[in-house]
Coordinates of all heavy atoms in Angstrom, one line a residue:
A292 N 8.6 9.7 -0.8 CA 7.7 8.6 -0.5 C 6.6 9.2 0.4 O 6.6 10.4 0.7 CB 8.5 7.6 0.3
S293 N 5.7 8.3 0.8 CA 4.6 8.7 1.6 C 4.5 7.7 2.8 O 4.9 6.6 2.7 CB 3.2 8.6 0.9 OG 3.3 9.4 -0.3
G294 N 3.9 8.2 3.9 CA 3.6 7.3 5.1 C 4.8 6.6 5.6 O 5.9 7.2 5.8
T295 N 4.6 5.3 5.7 CA 5.7 4.5 6.3 C 6.9 4.5 5.4 O 8.1 4.5 5.9 CB 5.2 3.0 6.4 OG1 4.2 3.0 7.5 CG2 6.2 2.0 6.7
S296 N 6.7 4.5 4.1 CA 7.9 4.5 3.2 C 8.7 5.8 3.4 O 9.9 5.8 3.2 CB 7.4 4.4 1.7 OG 6.7 3.2 1.5
Y297 N 8.0 6.8 3.7 CA 8.7 8.1 4.0 C 9.6 7.9 5.2 O 10.7 8.4 5.2 CB 7.7 9.2 4.2 CG 8.2 10.5 4.7 CD1 9.0 11.3 3.9 CD2 7.9 10.9 6.0 CE1 9.5 12.5 4.4 CE2 8.4 12.1 6.5 CZ 9.2 12.9 5.7 OH 9.7 14.1 6.2
H298 N 9.1 7.2 6.2 CA 9.9 7.0 7.4 C 11.1 6.2 7.1 O 12.2 6.5 7.7 CB 9.1 6.4 8.5 CG 7.9 7.2 9.0 ND1 6.8 6.7 9.5 CD2 7.8 8.6 9.1 CE1 6.0 7.7 9.8 NE2 6.6 8.9 9.6
V339 N 10.3 5.7 -3.3 CA 10.1 4.5 -2.5 C 8.6 4.2 -2.2 O 7.9 5.1 -1.7 CB 10.9 4.6 -1.2 CG1 10.8 3.3 -0.4 CG2 12.3 5.0 -1.4
S340 N 8.2 3.0 -2.6 CA 6.7 2.8 -2.4 C 6.5 1.2 -2.4 O 7.0 0.5 -3.3 CB 6.0 3.4 -3.6 OG 4.6 2.9 -3.6
Q341 N 5.9 0.8 -1.4 CA 5.6 -0.7 -1.3 C 4.7 -1.1 -2.5 O 5.1 -2.0 -3.3 CB 4.8 -1.0 0.0 CG 4.5 -2.4 0.3 CD 3.4 -3.1 -0.5 OE1 3.6 -4.2 -1.1 NE2 2.3 -2.4 -0.7
S342 N 3.6 -0.3 -2.7 CA 2.7 -0.7 -3.8 C 3.1 -0.3 -5.2 O 2.7 -0.9 -6.2 CB 1.3 0.0 -3.5 OG 1.5 1.4 -3.5
G343 N 3.9 0.8 -5.2 CA 4.2 1.3 -6.5 C 3.0 2.0 -7.2 O 3.1 2.3 -8.4
E344 N 2.0 2.2 -6.5 CA 0.8 2.8 -7.1 C 0.3 4.1 -6.3 O -0.7 4.6 -6.7 CB -0.4 1.8 -7.0 CG -0.2 0.5 -7.8 CD -0.1 0.7 -9.3 OE1 -0.4 1.8 -9.8 OE2 0.4 -0.2 -10.0
T345 N 1.1 4.5 -5.3 CA 0.6 5.7 -4.5 C 0.6 6.9 -5.4 O 1.6 7.3 -6.0 CB 1.6 5.9 -3.3 OG1 1.5 4.7 -2.6 CG2 1.2 7.0 -2.5
A346 N -0.6 7.5 -5.5 CA -0.8 8.6 -6.4 C 0.2 9.8 -6.2 O 0.7 10.4 -7.1 CB -2.2 9.1 -6.4
V348 N 3.1 9.7 -5.0 CA 4.5 9.3 -5.4 C 4.6 9.4 -7.0 O 5.5 9.9 -7.5 CB 4.9 7.9 -4.9 CG1 6.2 7.5 -5.5 CG2 4.9 7.8 -3.4
I365 N 12.2 2.1 -5.5 CA 12.3 0.9 -4.6 C 10.9 0.5 -4.3 O 10.2 1.2 -3.7 CB 13.1 1.3 -3.3 CG1 14.5 1.8 -3.7 CG2 13.2 0.1 -2.4 CD1 15.4 2.1 -2.6
L373 N 4.8 2.5 -10.8 CA 6.1 3.1 -10.5 C 7.3 2.4 -11.2 O 8.2 3.1 -11.7 CB 6.3 3.2 -9.0 CG 7.5 3.9 -8.5 CD1 7.5 5.4 -9.0 CD2 7.6 3.9 -6.9
E388 N 2.0 -7.9 0.5 CA 1.7 -7.4 1.8 C 0.2 -7.1 1.8 O -0.2 -6.1 1.1 CB 2.5 -6.1 2.1 CG 2.4 -5.7 3.5 CD 3.3 -4.5 3.8 OE1 3.1 -3.4 3.2 OE2 4.3 -4.6 4.7
C390 N -2.1 -6.9 4.7 CA -2.6 -6.0 5.8 C -2.4 -4.6 5.3 O -1.4 -4.2 4.7 CB -1.8 -6.2 7.0 SG -2.3 -5.1 8.3
V391 N -3.4 -3.7 5.6 CA -3.4 -2.3 5.2 C -2.1 -1.7 5.8 O -1.5 -0.8 5.1 CB -4.7 -1.6 5.7 CG1 -4.5 -0.1 5.6 CG2 -5.8 -2.1 4.8
L392 N -1.7 -2.1 7.0 CA -0.5 -1.5 7.6 C 0.7 -2.0 7.0 O 0.9 -3.2 6.8 CB -0.5 -1.7 9.1 CG -1.3 -0.8 9.9 CD1 -2.8 -1.3 10.0 CD2 -0.8 -0.7 11.3
A393 N 1.7 -1.1 6.7 CA 3.0 -1.6 6.2 C 3.8 -2.1 7.4 O 4.0 -1.3 8.3 CB 3.6 -0.4 5.5
T394 N 4.3 -3.3 7.3 CA 5.2 -3.8 8.4 C 6.4 -4.4 7.7 O 7.5 -3.8 7.8 CB 4.5 -4.9 9.3 OG1 3.9 -5.9 8.4 CG2 3.4 -4.3 10.1
S396 N 7.2 -4.6 4.6 CA 7.8 -3.8 3.5 C 8.7 -2.7 4.1 O 9.7 -2.3 3.5 CB 6.7 -3.2 2.7 OG 5.9 -2.3 3.4
Q400 N 12.6 -2.1 3.2 CA 13.1 -0.9 2.7 C 14.3 -0.4 3.5 O 15.3 0.0 2.9 CB 12.0 0.2 2.8 CG 10.9 0.1 1.8 CD 9.6 0.9 2.2 OE1 9.5 1.4 3.3 NE2 8.7 0.9 1.3
E468 N 7.8 6.2 13.0 CA 7.1 5.1 12.4 C 6.3 4.3 13.4 O 5.1 3.9 13.2 CB 8.1 4.1 11.7 CG 7.6 2.8 11.2 CD 6.4 2.9 10.2 OE1 6.1 4.0 9.7 OE2 5.8 1.8 10.0
L471 N 3.0 6.1 14.1 CA 2.1 5.8 13.0 C 1.4 4.5 13.1 O 0.2 4.3 13.0 CB 2.8 6.0 11.6 CG 1.9 5.7 10.4 CD1 0.8 6.7 10.3 CD2 2.8 5.8 9.1
K472 N 2.2 3.4 13.4 CA 1.7 2.1 13.6 C 0.6 2.1 14.7 O -0.5 1.5 14.5 CB 2.8 1.1 13.9 CG 3.7 0.7 12.8 CD 3.1 -0.2 11.7 CE 2.6 0.6 10.6 NZ 3.3 1.2 9.6
E475 N -2.7 4.3 13.7 CA -3.5 3.9 12.6 C -4.3 2.6 12.9 O -5.3 2.3 12.3 CB -2.8 3.8 11.3 CG -1.7 2.7 11.2 CD -0.9 2.8 9.9 OE1 -1.4 3.3 8.9 OE2 0.2 2.3 9.9
L582 N -9.0 3.7 6.1 CA -7.7 3.5 5.4 C -7.9 2.5 4.2 O -8.8 1.7 4.2 CB -6.6 3.0 6.3 CG -6.2 3.9 7.5 CD1 -5.1 3.2 8.3 CD2 -5.7 5.2 7.0
A583 N -6.9 2.6 3.3 CA -6.9 1.6 2.3 C -5.4 1.4 1.9 O -4.6 2.3 2.2 CB -7.6 2.0 1.0
K584 N -5.1 0.2 1.4 CA -3.6 -0.1 1.2 C -3.0 0.8 0.1 O -1.9 1.4 0.4 CB -3.5 -1.6 0.9 CG -2.1 -2.0 0.7 CD -1.6 -2.7 2.0 CE -0.1 -3.0 1.9 NZ 0.5 -2.6 3.2
S585 N -3.5 0.8 -1.0 CA -2.9 1.6 -2.1 C -3.7 2.9 -2.2 O -4.8 2.9 -2.6 CB -3.0 0.8 -3.5 OG -2.5 -0.4 -3.3
V586 N -3.0 3.9 -1.9 CA -3.6 5.2 -1.9 C -3.5 5.8 -3.3 O -2.6 6.6 -3.6 CB -3.1 6.2 -0.8 CG1 -3.9 7.4 -0.7 CG2 -3.1 5.4 0.5
Ligands
F6R1 C1 1.2 2.8 7.0 C2 0.9 2.7 5.6 C3 0.9 3.9 4.7 C4 1.8 3.7 3.5 C5 1.6 4.9 2.5 C6 2.5 4.7 1.3 O1 1.1 1.6 7.6 O2 0.7 1.6 5.1 O3 1.3 5.0 5.4 O4 3.1 3.5 3.9 O5 0.3 5.0 2.0 O6 2.3 3.5 0.6 P1 3.3 2.9 -0.5 O7 4.5 2.5 0.3 O8 2.6 1.8 -1.1 O9 3.6 4.0 -1.4

Side-chain angles (χ1 to χ4, degrees):
S293 306
T295 289
S296 300
Y297 169 72
H298 294 149
V339 184
S340 172
Q341 186 284 132
S342 61
E344 299 293 349
T345 299
V348 176
I365 299 184
L373 186 55
E388 191 176 62
C390 174
V391 166
L392 279 83
T394 53
S396 62
Q400 290 163 349
E468 170 59 9
L471 178 61
K472 287 290 92 80
E475 66 184 336
L582 298 180
K584 182 97 188 136
S585 305
V586 188

